[in-house]
Amino acid sequence: MCRGIPEPKLTAMDAMIDKLTGAIFVFQIVVVIVLGIAGNVWKDTEARKQWYVKYPEESPWFELLIIPLRFELLCSIMIPISIKVSLDLVKSLYAKFIDWDNEMIDQETGTPSHATNTAISEDLGQVEYILTDKTGTLTENKMIFRRCCINGVFYGNDSGDALKDVELHNAVSSRSPDVIHFLTVMAICNTVIPMKTKTGDIFYKAQSQDEDALVHAAARLHMVFVNKNANILEIKFNGSTIQYEVLETLEFTSDRKRMSVVVKDCQNGKILLLTKGADEAILPIACPGQQTRAFFEAVEQYSQLGLRTLCLAWRQLKEDEYEEWSLLFKEANSTLVDREWRIAEVCQRLEHDLEILGVTAIEDRLQDGVPETIEALRKAGINFWMLTGDKKNTAIQIALSCNFISPEPKGQLLLIDGKTEDEVRQSLERVLLTMRITTSEPKDVAFVVDGWALEIALKYYRKAFTELAILSRTAICCRVTPSQKAQLVELLKSCDYRTLAIGDGGNDVRMIQQADIGVGISGREGLQAARAADYSIGKFRFLKRLILVHGRYSYNRTAFLSQYSFYKSLLICFIQIFFSFISGVSGTSLFNSLSLMAYNVFYTSIPVLVSVLDKDLSEETVMQHPQILFYCQAGRLLNPSTFAGWFGRSLFHAIVVFVISIHAYAYEKSEMEEVSMVALSGCIWLQAFVVTLETNSFTILQCIAIWGNLASFYFINWIFSAIPSSGMYTIMFRLCRQPSYWTTVFLIVAAGMGPILALKYFRYTYRPSKINILQQAERLGGPILSLGSIEPQPRPILEKEVSPLSITQPKNRNPVYEPLLSDSPNTRRSFGSGAPFDFFQTQSRLSSSYSRNKDN
């Protein structure tokens, strides 16, 4: 029920390609209109004067539309229809690369990585925010019972393991009532099912790892849950058998944060309510007069150690009280309107005046490689948010241990709390003020918010909380519900950030589906998250390789393929347009339909599809220098400026091909079919060199695809030249025997590629990017100790200066620009002169701000 209906996901690159396609479509319409008008004017003024153009004196009314429609047909290939097919094909290959990656196989369980969604691989390279669950995602979800507090007595503090505490074992042996009641709740207040092996050993099937740890701990303390037959539970304690009948089960929900069972002792007929849950859900409903201070202290102490805490309680029910309540509970269960709300209301009528028995503390160890993964992705400019249902102190301790936040004095942790609107407003205002002051300082500032304060902030102070989300690189949201996790993802998406959500349980499904990219971990809580996610991995540490290697390569390859597809279509289209200037602007095609079809299907498609194997840097270099992911986050390889470069290249190459081929063969007084084939040959040769120039790593398959495709061009045209009815009869035979043909092809390649090679050499030698530096280091075999600074694309600065924002006043200034306008030496820069700044100190804080303006 958490899963819902997933929304269709559109990657940032797909959105950019759609915008570029729209721009080309507008350009195409303008060209068609202009040339259509010019063609009609030339026809009425010049064409009728030529004796060989036999236009009738009077023509039908639609005659004016014929020439524009001709140009529409000629320019129809200006937008490459095959680009969607090509992108879908290569994206499916990206997904297969993830499936085939042996370095992303969990050796412990043998779980491979898997890409369920084959359409968003390039978005992995543009992730700006990662929202992660804690239990089972950052931790192993292997719960171990470590400590407990029973009626104010602490066990396990000295040895660190309550199960080895002699005092606890003595209390069990002496049948202490408090301890017996505590162990009884541990053993049967759950949904665990005991199973027996062929040898008679007992093992447990549990939905929750916490329940499994509690039942095993109770068994170690001689309170063994041995059998469950229908509603009868069988417990063995020190050789004696105790039976309980389960009357009702009050299931756990994220709103109630507790679960209860109503059982009847089969020996004495007493009806008992056994409850366990979070401290804020159990301690407030304690019976009047009971001292709960010791339990509060225990919860605080255990959470400071990073342990997961649960409070256990019980109450004896009167029979008439239970009978009256049972009728209401059955009625609530059978209702069809507001069923969950009715059940929660009825449960609340029974869960009150509880006798608190104690507190349990369970350890959940951190997964291997989590700190290193978070540190590497932070260097890549990715921000982290932890969304967990655990207590605040437990979440903070885990965050400190996995490099999620930095301890003082390097880091600073700000707290947002409160139970009322005024308290939350004051707390949020204080944190915002501190965040604005410290934004310009090289200090890791994070904020912590609990579920109650988050609910108020999102409902009444959403704009202020949104500003806080933009200013903060790190956030810890504790005691949050699945719906709140999804709301936080939606909040960051509304700020135009690319989000990735990762979790392992069913309560993470809504968050995973809401994010731009959902990653599920195939963990101990089942496969709900993995099945609902776009990608599934075995451990959190594989996220580093998924983003830095697969995400970055997919982005680079898609950027080249999409722009090259436009380039090859524009090239042939521009040649057609130039030919119209010497053919009376009549819309006549230089190329026959067979050549145009083969041009798109055979001659230019295969080489670019093999670009899925291209790697600008080795995987080892990418993993060692994660900060180069910034080029992908900022959209450096696919944006209007890079597309303008490819547009200009296609125009330049079209001029070169047209001018050289027309002049060379007009001088020879050749047939127009020969001129057409010479121009087509020049296009194919140029594109072979363009693909070669843009390829970074050559494999045998790539070399065969590029140069074998060129050879197949001649082979196919020789076949057509041997067919009399093809319209190309003997043309290629005659051309290949002429030295002027090969001279013309050589001149086209030299004139077309010479300036591009010179420009590329200049940029590589005198203005190399950080990627060029790493490429050179790989070729020379030398190490790179430091990449220095990376200059991001400048964002426009707001013209008006306004007063500091207040959450009680409307905001007139985008808080993203606050770090750019600071007078701190770490962020001061001159946008006019393009002076560099320290990338390693400020890139991770500013990259998300710059990358939001990918279209600039």
Side-chain angles (χ1 to χ4, degrees), residues 175-310:
R175 293 179 178 267
S176 170
D178 294 330
V179 175
I180 299 303
H181 294 156
F182 185 84
L183 295 179
T184 301
V185 177
M186 285 177 58
I188 65 176
C189 184
N190 50 58
T191 56
V192 174
I193 300 176
M195 309 287 288
K196 285 188 178 181
T197 62
K198 294 181 179 180
T199 59
D201 296 331
I202 297 176
F203 68 97
Y204 300 105
K205 293 283 188 179
Q207 293 180 344
S208 166
Q209 297 298 317
D210 293 276
E211 291 185 344
D212 185 71
L214 291 177
V215 174
H216 275 94
R220 292 276 301 273
L221 295 171
H222 310 292
M223 186 70 71
V224 185
F225 184 17
V226 293
N227 189 27
K228 183 175 183 179
N229 184 11
N231 290 334
I232 303 300
L233 309 180
E234 193 172 302
I235 305 295
K236 280 192 176 181
F237 178 65
N238 286 340
S240 60
T241 301
I242 307 172
Q243 288 186 338
Y244 293 93
E245 179 185 358
V246 179
L247 301 178
E248 302 290 352
T249 299
L250 285 62
E251 296 182 355
F252 173 88
T253 66
S254 57
D255 294 326
R256 294 176 60 242
K257 298 182 180 178
R258 59 178 178 262
M259 79 153 294
S260 302
V261 292
V262 180
V263 298
K264 183 178 182 180
D265 192 331
C266 296
Q267 294 178 340
N268 53 32
K270 292 181 179 180
I271 299 177
L272 305 174
L273 172 67
L274 310 180
T275 305
K276 75 173 188 295
D279 57 291
E280 69 264 27
I282 299 295
L283 297 180
I285 57 177
C287 59
Q290 182 179 11
Q291 296 295 326
T292 58
R293 182 175 180 180
F295 302 117
F296 276 110
E297 293 176 352
V299 170
E300 187 70 20
Q301 175 184 332
Y302 295 151
S303 60
Q304 290 286 353
L305 297 173
L307 302 176
R308 298 165 58 87
T309 59
L310 284 173

Side-chain angles (χ1 to χ4, degrees), residues 239-498:
S240 60
T241 301
I242 307 172
Q243 288 186 338
Y244 293 93
E245 179 185 358
V246 179
L247 301 178
E248 302 290 352
T249 299
L250 285 62
E251 296 182 355
F252 173 88
T253 66
S254 57
D255 294 326
R256 294 176 60 242
K257 298 182 180 178
R258 59 178 178 262
M259 79 153 294
S260 302
V261 292
V262 180
V263 298
K264 183 178 182 180
D265 192 331
C266 296
Q267 294 178 340
N268 53 32
K270 292 181 179 180
I271 299 177
L272 305 174
L273 172 67
L274 310 180
T275 305
K276 75 173 188 295
D279 57 291
E280 69 264 27
I282 299 295
L283 297 180
I285 57 177
C287 59
Q290 182 179 11
Q291 296 295 326
T292 58
R293 182 175 180 180
F295 302 117
F296 276 110
E297 293 176 352
V299 170
E300 187 70 20
Q301 175 184 332
Y302 295 151
S303 60
Q304 290 286 353
L305 297 173
L307 302 176
R308 298 165 58 87
T309 59
L310 284 173
C311 293
L312 309 185
W314 81 315
R315 180 167 76 92
Q316 184 174 341
L317 304 178
K318 296 179 181 179
E319 188 167 351
D320 56 348
E321 179 188 6
Y322 166 71
E323 294 293 343
E324 181 182 353
W325 175 87
S326 179
L327 293 175
L328 296 175
F329 187 67
K330 291 177 181 177
E331 181 183 351
N333 270 310
S334 60
T335 187
L336 299 178
V337 181
D338 296 331
R339 182 172 175 270
E340 295 182 1
W341 179 83
R342 290 284 302 278
I343 291 176
E345 183 186 24
V346 172
C347 290
Q348 192 172 359
R349 293 189 179 189
L350 193 68
E351 295 170 330
H352 61 85
D353 296 338
L354 302 180
E355 179 185 347
I356 310 300
L357 298 174
V359 180
T360 64
I362 299 175
E363 179 188 37
D364 188 11
R365 294 178 179 175
L366 207 63
Q367 289 185 21
D368 294 335
V370 169
E372 295 79 6
T373 300
I374 293 177
E375 182 180 3
L377 294 179
R378 280 200 181 282
K379 289 181 179 178
I382 298 176
N383 303 323
F384 276 86
W385 281 32
M386 179 193 292
L387 314 180
T388 177
D390 280 347
K391 273 188 67 65
K392 175 186 66 179
N393 290 334
T394 303
I396 291 174
Q397 293 303 317
I398 294 296
L400 286 170
S401 63
C402 66
N403 290 339
F404 202 87
I405 56 177
S406 303
E408 292 284 356
K410 184 180 179 181
Q412 183 177 0
L413 203 58
L414 306 176
L415 177 62
I416 301 175
D417 57 2
K419 299 297 183 182
T420 65
E421 292 181 32
D422 288 338
E423 291 176 354
V424 173
R425 180 186 59 80
Q426 293 173 5
S427 179
L428 187 57
E429 194 170 24
R430 183 181 63 253
V431 171
L432 265 175
L433 180 61
T434 306
M435 194 71 72
R436 293 191 192 105
I437 295 173
T438 57
T439 296
S440 59
E441 300 177 5
K443 196 172 187 178
D444 187 8
V445 183
F447 72 87
V448 183
V449 61
D450 62 10
W452 188 268
L454 179 63
E455 186 74 22
I456 296 175
L458 291 176
K459 186 175 181 180
Y460 298 104
Y461 308 111
R462 189 177 183 88
K463 288 187 177 180
F465 191 80
T466 302
E467 179 188 354
L468 180 63
I470 294 173
L471 292 176
S472 177
R473 292 187 57 211
T474 307
I476 300 175
C477 304
C478 48
R479 295 300 194 198
V480 293
T481 63
S483 61
Q484 287 177 327
K485 292 181 178 182
Q487 288 178 37
L488 290 172
V489 173
E490 178 61 30
L491 179 75
L492 291 173
K493 286 178 63 178
S494 67
C495 300
D496 200 25
Y497 290 118
R498 309 307 293 182

